[in-house]
């Protein structure tokens, strides 16, 4: 990753974007478009097609047609594997282009996007390519004279709706296993970050994915997203995003064909530091990045920091020293540590949360103000709050911004109570030098992911999913395939 290469790519003009339906690039039936505005400087990059119900229907029909014709669903597993590996090859060949394009679109700092976006996406396609020919059926232990066979079959048409914060990475978590299982897919990016996923569609065609197997439709959630959720010929809907939208998608499923809906929603994840943590300096550094990276726009961000009272003051001082030194600025500068906030709308929400926390009595230790390193862009100084109590809005509601809420605790029992005093249950962390305590906390914390002496980092081999109002189902790992496969029982009298 060289600055000269990044600077050259950021100068490239991006053409206006169309929809990918049945292997062809087409305008929206209505002719409507949306601006793709960069949070780096507030300037438009291009225009993207704004799909409506007619376009969604065309994409779903293309996916259904390709599935029923068997051009992908009945392709020999060894051949599907080759295509998925070629998709990974194409992503890797365009690594720099995809990374810079994505950062221009959503403002993530390039050092993070380089690995988390094309790097992760290529790895996901390779992982599921290797899963294709390793999904086996079963023979049941049946009585004499009968044979019970359990077949695993692709479900059909999968709709995937992905967010703007890590569009390429999260899309790969959904598209790669869905394709590996033999399904056809309609992918709907966020209207705030569509460019890298439209490019992914082109790379998939170049890699030999048959037309109609992957369709990519940009547009608003209210139009394209709702139409997908209500379509009678979509079998599975997988979504990563906010709780309110997740509820709307469940309602749409109930009011249409009862399609299966898998939701990876938000969190208010507890990060718990005990006084016996092996390295408080390292814990502070990792904890700060666990909430401030990508301007806090990470679903698993450790936004609630619970610190044992004996080390509370020292730990807050360490966090303050780290926060004030973090370099917020141009996300396409390799030395930048914190990039842009995704939009003016999100920045306003973050600043309102800062004011609300202060009004409720939390102490703002440092940060919390808008910054202006680039005219027209959206930037914010990482905010550190102390004296936060469990009843405060900042302790209960996800902001999706760089706001850290610190709360002291006295005992292990106290820590568990505070950690679980949430409607969410996505991620968490425990810092302790006691192996016994670590295992007790892993069992006691109600979350889909529990980190121990770290925050972040589980790779594609580990499932990601939440409990409570953080959703259902899992992305990543072999377990993700379960969402995209049907079980068919064959009971045979011999």
């Amino acid at each position: 990753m060289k600055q000269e290469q990044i600077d050259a790519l950021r100068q490239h003009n991006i053409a206006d974007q169309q929809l990918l339906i049945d292997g062809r690039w087409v305008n929206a039936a209505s002719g409507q478009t949306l601006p793709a505005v960069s949070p780096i400087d507030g300037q438009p990059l291009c225009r993207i097609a704004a799909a409506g119900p007619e376009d969604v229907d065309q994409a779903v029909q293309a996916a259904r047609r390709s599935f029923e014709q068997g051009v992908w669903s009945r392709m020999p597993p060894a051949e599907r594997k080759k295509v998925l590996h070629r998709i990974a090859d194409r992503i890797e060949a365009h690594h720099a282009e995809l990374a810079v394009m994505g950062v221009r679109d959503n403002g993530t700092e390039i050092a993070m996007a380089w690995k988390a976006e094309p790097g992760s996406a290529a790895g996901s396609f390779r992982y599921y390519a290797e899963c294709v020919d390793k999904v086996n059926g079963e023979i049941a232990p049946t009585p004499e004279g009968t044979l019970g066979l359990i077949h695993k079959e692709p479900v059909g048409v999968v709709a995937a709706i992905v967010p703007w914060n890590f569009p390429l990475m999260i899309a790969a978590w959904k598209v790669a296993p869905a394709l590996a299982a033999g399904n056809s897919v309609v992918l709907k990016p966020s209207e705030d970050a569509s460019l890298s996923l439209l490019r992914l569609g082109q790379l998939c065609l170049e890699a030999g994915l048959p037309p109609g197997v992957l369709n990519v439709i940009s547009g608003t959630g209210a139009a394209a997203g709702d139409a997908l959720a209500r379509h009678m010929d979509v079998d599975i809907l997988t979504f990563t995003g906010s709780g309110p939208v997740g509820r709307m998608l469940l309602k749409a499923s109930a009011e249409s064909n009862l399609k299966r809906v898998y939701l990876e929603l938000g969190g208010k994840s507890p990060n718990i530091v005990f006084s016996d943590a092996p390295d408080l300096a390292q814990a502070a550094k990792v904890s700060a990045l666990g909430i401030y990276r990508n301007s806090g726009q990470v679903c698993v961000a450790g936004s609630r920091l619970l610190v044992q009272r004996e080390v509370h003051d020292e730990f807050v001082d360490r966090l303050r020293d780290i926060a004030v030194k973090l370099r917020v600025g141009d996300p396409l500068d390799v030395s930048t540590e914190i990039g842009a906030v995704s939009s003016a709308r999100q920045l306003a929400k973050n600043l309102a949360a800062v004011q609300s926390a202060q009004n409720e009595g939390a102490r703002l230790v440092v940060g919390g103000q808008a910054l202006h390193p680039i005219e027209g862009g959206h930037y914010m100084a990482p905010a550190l709050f102390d004296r936060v109590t469990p009843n405060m809005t900042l302790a209960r509601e996800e902001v999706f911004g760089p706001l850290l809420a610190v709360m002291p605790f006295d005992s292990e029992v106290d820590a568990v109570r505070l950690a679980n005093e949430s409607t969410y249950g996505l991620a968490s962390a425990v810092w302790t030098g006691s192996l016994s305590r670590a295992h007790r906390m892993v069992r006691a914390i109600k979350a889909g992911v529990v980190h121990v002496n770290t925050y972040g980092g589980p790779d594609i081999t580990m499932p990601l999913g939440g409990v409570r109002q953080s959703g259902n189902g899992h992305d990543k790992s072999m377990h993700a395939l379960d969402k995209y496969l049907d079980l068919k029982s064959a009971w045979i009298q011999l």
Side-chain angles (χ1 to χ4, degrees):
M1 182 177 61
K2 296 183 179 179
Q3 188 65 59
E4 296 81 5
Q5 183 184 24
I6 294 167
D7 290 341
L9 286 167
R10 79 185 299 168
Q11 300 303 321
H12 287 186
N13 290 328
I14 300 175
D16 289 347
Q17 302 290 299
Q18 297 176 296
L19 311 173
L20 177 59
I21 298 177
D22 206 13
R24 297 180 297 111
W25 293 99
V26 297
N27 294 322
S30 67
Q32 293 184 347
T33 62
L34 299 168
V37 178
S38 176
I40 296 176
D41 56 9
Q43 295 300 307
L45 296 167
C46 65
R47 297 193 72 83
I48 59 173
E54 183 178 345
D55 307 296
V56 168
D57 184 57
Q58 290 296 318
V60 173
Q61 285 188 42
R64 176 61 64 189
R65 190 163 51 247
S66 71
F67 180 77
E68 298 299 340
Q69 290 173 349
V71 293
W72 180 255
S73 58
R74 293 194 292 274
M75 182 184 289
E79 295 303 311
R80 290 210 309 271
K81 173 192 272 193
K82 291 177 184 177
V83 175
L84 293 177
H85 272 301
R86 288 200 296 268
I87 293 172
D89 290 341
R90 299 300 293 162
I91 293 171
E92 289 172 346
H94 293 269
H95 191 127
E97 173 199 347
L98 288 165
V100 173
M101 178 186 289
V103 171
R104 293 174 73 186
D105 208 12
N106 75 350
T108 301
E109 53 272 14
I110 187 66
M112 185 176 194
W114 193 269
K115 295 179 181 178
E117 286 283 83
S120 172
S124 294
F125 274 96
R126 291 210 187 281
Y127 179 86
Y128 289 107
E130 290 301 327
C131 293
V132 168
D133 54 6
K134 299 172 182 66
V135 176
N136 301 311
E138 303 170 29
I139 300 176
T142 56
E144 185 72 23
T146 60
L147 176 63
L149 302 179
I150 303 170
H151 297 269
K152 294 183 179 180
E153 299 183 341
V155 177
V157 176
V158 174
I161 302 177
V162 300
W164 45 260
N165 57 337
F166 294 103
L168 194 54
M169 177 179 75
I170 295 173
W173 288 352
K174 300 177 186 300
V175 172
L179 292 179
N183 299 283
S184 293
V185 179
V186 179
L187 173 62
K188 193 264 176 208
S190 165
E191 57 267 40
D192 291 328
S194 299
L195 299 182
S196 61
L197 296 188
L198 291 164
R199 186 71 175 106
L200 174 66
Q202 179 61 42
L203 296 177
C204 288
L205 288 177
E206 294 173 7
L209 192 68
V213 175
L214 175 63
N215 307 273
V216 186
I217 53 167
S218 53
T220 65
D226 185 67
L228 261 183
R230 294 180 180 279
H231 202 287
M232 297 296 290
D233 209 21
V234 170
D235 299 299
I236 290 174
L237 175 61
T238 175
F239 168 76
T240 294
S242 71
V245 174
R247 286 179 170 83
M248 292 169 61
L249 297 177
L250 286 171
K251 182 179 180 181
S253 170
E255 292 175 346
S256 56
N257 64 338
L258 293 175
K259 59 181 64 66
R260 292 175 234 171
V261 180
Y262 297 104
L263 305 172
E264 196 267 272
L265 306 176
K268 198 68 187 175
S269 300
N271 183 13
I272 307 166
V273 180
F274 286 93
S275 59
D276 66 349
D279 186 339
L280 285 178
Q282 178 68 5
K285 178 181 177 181
V286 174
S287 296
L289 293 177
I291 175 62
Y292 295 142
R293 60 181 182 171
N294 197 23
S295 294
Q297 298 165 149
V298 182
C299 59
V300 297
S303 54
R304 285 190 297 149
L305 183 63
L306 315 181
V307 185
Q308 198 157 26
R309 201 174 300 276
E310 294 94 307
V311 295
H312 170 269
D313 291 349
E314 174 191 350
F315 206 79
V316 170
D317 288 343
R318 290 182 183 273
L319 288 168
R320 179 196 59 219
D321 293 343
I322 294 167
V324 297
K325 293 175 182 176
L326 288 171
R327 186 170 185 270
V328 180
D330 181 359
L332 287 171
D333 185 330
V334 295
S335 66
T336 292
E337 295 170 290
I338 308 296
V341 176
S342 66
S343 64
R345 180 180 65 255
Q346 184 61 45
L347 178 59
K349 179 183 177 184
N350 294 350
L351 298 176
V354 170
Q355 187 61 56
S356 173
Q358 291 179 291
N359 292 344
E360 292 183 23
R363 180 174 75 96
L364 180 59
V365 178
V366 70
Q369 73 273 22
L371 300 176
H372 306 282
I374 297 178
E375 185 178 354
H378 316 304
Y379 301 86
M380 181 175 173
L384 173 62
F385 280 96
D386 194 13
R387 300 176 188 167
V388 177
T389 58
N391 62 310
M392 291 182 180
T393 304
L394 188 60
R396 294 184 288 105
E397 296 183 6
E398 183 181 44
V399 179
F400 220 60
L403 283 73
L404 178 57
V406 182
M407 294 179 278
F409 69 88
D410 294 302
S411 66
E412 187 175 313
V413 171
D414 195 26
V416 170
R417 177 183 60 79
L418 287 170
N420 291 337
E421 205 168 75
S422 173
T423 59
Y424 295 105
L426 186 55
S428 61
V430 177
W431 298 81
T432 179
S434 167
L435 181 62
S436 297
R437 170 178 281 158
H439 282 293
R440 289 195 301 269
M441 294 298 289
V442 167
R443 287 183 175 275
I445 295 172
K446 292 180 172 61
V449 179
V450 184
H451 305 88
V452 177
N453 293 335
T454 189
Y455 204 101
D459 62 20
I460 191 64
T461 65
M462 295 289 288
L464 172 63
V467 298
R468 295 174 164 179
Q469 293 184 34
S470 287
N472 58 73
H474 292 85
D475 287 328
K476 302 168 59 183
S477 83
M478 289 286 286
H479 295 284
L481 290 166
D482 296 340
K483 295 188 295 190
Y484 308 113
L485 289 166
D486 264 340
L487 298 180
K488 178 183 287 184
S489 297
W491 185 260
I492 302 170
Q493 187 69 48
L494 299 177

